[in-house]
Amino acid sequence: MDEQTAKNQKENSTRKSLNKQDSLVLKIVLIAFLILLSFIPMSMIRGLINEREMTADAAAQEVQQKWSKSQTLIGPILTIPYFYQNEKGENQKGYINYLPEQLNITGDVNTQELKRGLYEIIVYNSTLEITGTFSARDLKESNLFTNDKWIEGATLNLGISDLRGINEQISLEWDNRKLNFTPGVDPHSLVVSGISSKITPQQLFANDSVVHFTIKLKLKGSESIQFTPLGRTTKVAIRSNCQTPSFNGAFLPTEREVSSEGFTSKWEVLEFNRNYSQILKRESLSCHHERIQGYDG
């Protein structure tokens, strides 16, 4: 009897152990099944999110194509031809890009929402004034131009990344003279898209080797507006009704204030903060556009 009882107890213990194992395996299989089952709605949700994102991007691109894309302003820059001798002693014509001594940019950037179906796209209208000076000091010290003889064909170039954003005629005052801008830039300048104005030798540094300039323009765009600090000293002051700005680029504002009515911000960049000089020769050009980004929607 004792042996039979012991045998029965052993069999019962074995059955219980097997039942526990079976139950554990069943739980694991059930959990795995539920996890796999949950992937179906997750993949459907992910697919819906991706589809909405693609639709939103398409709507934004469509609006930007008709309104204007993000804007980057570069300049103004003086592009001046000069003669030099190559290794064979032959006279060759080269070009330099001369940067402003002082560059001040002030403006208002007013944002608004445009609807495209279910989506809202942020765009802006900006009113900008670009002032500053060009000085002949570095040119005279460089000995690129002998006997103060300037070559015909100098141009003042202002880089604008998307010309569709120009709202009206851009005015230019150059040493108290009113000049006209024309579409396109000098092919030897730093910029590939923008506007330019011809500068005669008599208009180059005729007033004590310093020329003052003022450019006023209205520019529309979307997403962001950026400025390149090309001046020996560059100051930028921007006001906007945007309540949630994002300040990106190589330099953050030295001053900024964000409120429920918008933001104001100021930048100041010195020549020591950039890695290029005032004179850039076209044949050995290496100028990195370190941008200030004043608004990012």
Side-chain angles (χ1 to χ4, degrees), residues 30-59:
L30 183 60
I31 291 172
F33 176 74
L34 292 174
I35 292 174
L36 291 174
L37 192 63
S38 67
F39 283 156
I40 297 176
M42 289 176 61
S43 62
M44 293 175 63
I45 294 172
R46 189 177 297 111
L48 181 61
I49 292 174
N50 292 336
E51 182 182 353
R52 291 290 178 87
E53 289 180 348
M54 292 175 62
T55 306
D57 291 341

Side-chain angles (χ1 to χ4, degrees), residues 71-229:
Q71 294 287 5
T72 299
L73 289 181
I74 304 175
I77 304 166
L78 270 175
T79 302
I80 308 172
Y82 73 103
F83 285 113
Y84 67 97
Q85 288 188 338
N86 59 16
E87 296 177 353
K88 298 180 180 180
E90 300 170 339
N91 287 331
Q92 299 289 329
K93 189 177 183 180
Y95 292 84
I96 64 164
N97 285 276
Y98 194 48
L99 306 184
E101 184 77 11
Q102 298 284 335
L103 178 60
N104 306 310
I105 303 173
T106 59
D108 294 288
V109 179
N110 295 315
T111 63
Q112 66 182 91
E113 295 180 354
L114 296 182
K115 290 187 177 181
R116 189 67 176 173
L118 299 174
Y119 305 99
E120 295 180 347
I121 294 91
I122 304 296
V123 298
Y124 62 81
N125 283 285
S126 64
T127 302
L128 303 172
E129 182 176 77
I130 304 172
T131 63
T133 60
F134 281 95
S135 170
R137 181 184 62 182
D138 294 284
L139 289 180
K140 291 180 177 179
E141 292 177 355
S142 70
N143 294 322
L144 289 172
F145 302 93
T146 58
N147 300 323
D148 292 331
K149 291 182 179 179
W150 302 91
I151 302 175
E152 296 280 354
T155 56
L156 183 72
N157 298 276
L158 178 64
I160 301 175
S161 57
D162 193 343
L163 296 177
R164 293 172 302 175
I166 299 176
N167 278 340
E168 58 184 45
Q169 184 66 36
I170 301 174
S171 66
L172 166 64
E173 288 188 10
W174 179 265
D175 200 24
N176 295 323
R177 297 185 181 96
K178 291 188 179 296
L179 303 180
N180 295 322
F181 274 116
T182 57
V185 294
D186 192 310
H188 304 96
S189 68
L190 295 177
V191 296
V192 296
S193 172
I195 55 178
S196 61
S197 180
K198 293 182 179 180
I199 306 297
T200 65
Q202 294 76 19
Q203 294 170 335
L204 283 170
F205 313 112
N207 184 15
D208 296 329
S209 299
V210 175
V211 173
H212 296 262
F213 64 86
T214 299
I215 301 171
K216 295 181 179 181
L217 72 156
K218 292 185 177 181
L219 194 66
K220 62 183 182 181
S222 58
E223 291 187 344
S224 65
I225 184 167
Q226 305 178 59
F227 310 96
T228 304

Side-chain angles (χ1 to χ4, degrees), residues 248-271:
N248 298 320
F251 303 95
L252 291 175
T254 53
E255 299 179 26
R256 57 180 163 179
E257 183 178 347
V258 181
S259 67
S260 58
E261 298 180 354
F263 75 88
T264 59
S265 55
K266 295 181 180 180
W267 291 260
E268 183 171 358
V269 182
L270 306 177
E271 64 173 331

Side-chain angles (χ1 to χ4, degrees), residues 11-24:
E11 289 178 355
N12 292 333
S13 176
T14 302
R15 291 193 190 98
K16 291 180 180 179
S17 177
L18 290 174
N19 290 335
K20 288 181 179 179
Q21 291 179 2
D22 293 341
S23 178
L24 180 61

